[in-house]
Amino acid sequence: MSDLEVRQLRYFVAVAEELHFGRAADRLGMAQPPLSRAIRELERQLGVQLFERTTRHVVLTPPGETLLRDARTALDAVAAAAERARHVGRPAPGIRLALKADYDAGLLPKIIETYRLEEAAVPVEFVLGGRGEQVPALRQGRADVALLAAPFDDRGLDIEPLLTEPRLVALAASDPLAARATLCLADLAGRLLPDGTHADRDGLVPLSGTPRPVRDLAQIFNLIELGDSIWFPPASVARRHPRPGIAYRPVTDLKPATLAVAWPQNCHSPSVAAFVRAATAVAAATYPPESVPLAEPFTSTVHPETGELRSSVPSS
């Protein structure tokens, strides 16, 4: 058996993800007949059937499911090798930090300040993206380190949790549910998060199809104020962004959010190690284990008569 080629894996992954040869061919920018021939040749080469084909359906076989998982990893590794080589070859050194805007629990400025005191510190380039885009950035070599919310697929990555904090629900101040002191996920049945995720499933089970392209807080807040969506922000995000048209309420059975720093397992960069040290030191100093400054949820809403913003934080 000859070695597999990157081209073959790319063709296979496209068909496996689309489960439709026509759509996969369109995605690859090629005609369908040569794609079908390439998949048949791959199956002959491996000696296994990768797809069950009927006139109406294309379904992965168990060998196909195994190859899909490993093929994605291999393609990411190839892309990462090329991207990292380009990055290292740049005249000026630096590290690329992947993150979602405002998902740093307010720690990022202090982390950067502390990191710059490290002997191995180099300039930091920010790679901003939406939820779920940080892990692919690490795997594909577009980022060297990331700040992101756990849990996530950590294959091939090293992780250091920084802090765990409660999440709240953000909903329109005019929403009838805003009149209640606390909620549970069952109360949110039928509601959607900004990316199209079912709210009563904790925001962890996405809808089928293409998610809504929502990237920044301004978009999210507008959707919430219009009553189109609700959202589950970490308490630190809610504290830093009180808005007259939005009410934040605790949800009793909503899982907390964990902020973590992650980097590739095969990384030997002193600069990345210095960043991880700075991040863990700042998190420990800001939110020590014996301190729970975010454990008590707060609410923020607009007064129904005066229109003034009201915020309340339970006393300790």
Side-chain angles (χ1 to χ4, degrees):
M1 183 184 73
S2 60
D3 293 335
L4 294 179
E5 299 178 3
V6 171
R7 172 184 57 82
Q8 292 176 294
L9 294 180
R10 189 172 291 116
Y11 288 179
F12 166 73
V13 169
V15 177
E17 291 180 344
E18 298 292 342
L19 292 177
H20 190 283
F21 278 83
R23 289 196 299 268
D26 290 341
R27 169 174 158 180
L28 293 165
M30 63 187 298
Q32 182 175 335
L35 175 60
S36 298
R37 289 195 297 270
I39 296 299
R40 286 197 298 270
E41 172 58 26
L42 177 60
E43 290 177 319
R44 185 201 64 77
Q45 184 177 339
L46 295 176
V48 297
Q49 185 175 355
L50 300 172
F51 298 98
E52 293 281 358
R53 305 167 178 84
T54 70
T55 55
R56 300 181 63 183
H57 299 288
V58 176
V59 181
L60 277 168
T61 63
E65 292 174 353
T66 297
L67 181 60
L68 177 59
R69 182 181 63 249
D70 293 339
R72 284 168 168 160
T73 300
L75 290 174
D76 283 345
V78 170
E83 192 62 37
R84 289 177 185 136
R86 294 189 192 100
H87 180 67
V88 171
R90 297 191 313 178
I95 63 168
R96 296 156 300 171
L97 170 64
L99 73 160
K100 186 178 186 301
D102 280 292
Y103 267 67
D104 63 343
L107 298 176
L108 186 58
K110 185 63 176 177
I111 290 174
I112 297 299
E113 179 185 342
T114 303
Y115 170 67
R116 286 172 177 161
L117 300 177
E118 289 272 353
E119 184 177 351
V122 294
V124 178
E125 175 186 340
F126 298 105
V127 182
L128 296 174
R131 188 184 75 170
E133 295 182 10
Q134 291 70 46
V135 168
L138 289 174
R139 290 212 175 100
Q140 296 166 11
R142 294 181 285 109
D144 305 296
V145 64
L147 288 175
L148 69 172
F152 52 86
D153 182 358
D154 61 358
R155 287 178 296 114
L157 302 177
D158 281 327
I159 303 162
E160 186 67 37
L162 299 179
L163 69 101
T164 297
E165 57 177 327
R167 287 186 295 164
L168 307 175
V169 61
L171 62 165
S174 58
D175 192 305
L177 291 179
R180 297 174 54 175
T182 61
L183 301 168
C184 64
L185 286 173
D187 297 324
L188 305 172
R191 305 295 187 94
L192 296 179
L193 301 182
D195 64 355
T197 301
H198 288 288
D200 58 341
R201 297 185 183 182
D202 197 17
L204 299 178
V205 181
L207 289 169
S208 59
T210 304
R212 300 179 188 176
V214 178
R215 287 183 171 270
D216 57 54
L217 283 181
Q219 268 188 297
I220 291 173
F221 287 143
N222 286 338
L223 290 172
I224 296 169
E225 289 170 331
L226 292 171
D228 184 67
S229 302
I230 63 173
W231 185 38
F232 295 141
S236 58
V237 172
R239 286 178 183 274
R240 283 153 43 211
H241 296 281
R243 291 173 68 100
I246 292 179
Y248 297 103
R249 295 290 180 266
V251 181
T252 55
D253 51 348
L254 186 62
K255 294 178 181 177
T258 296
L259 178 69
V261 58
W263 64 99
Q265 284 179 346
N266 60 355
C267 176
H268 303 291
S269 165
S271 301
V272 170
F275 184 90
V276 173
R277 283 196 302 272
T280 53
V282 169
T286 308
Y287 303 118
E290 66 275 8
S291 172
V292 285
L294 297 176
E296 292 293 340
F298 76 100
T299 60
S300 174
T301 188
V302 65
H303 191 283
E305 297 178 358
T306 66
E308 295 179 352
L309 184 65
R310 298 187 301 181
S311 251
S312 64
V313 181
S315 59
S316 56

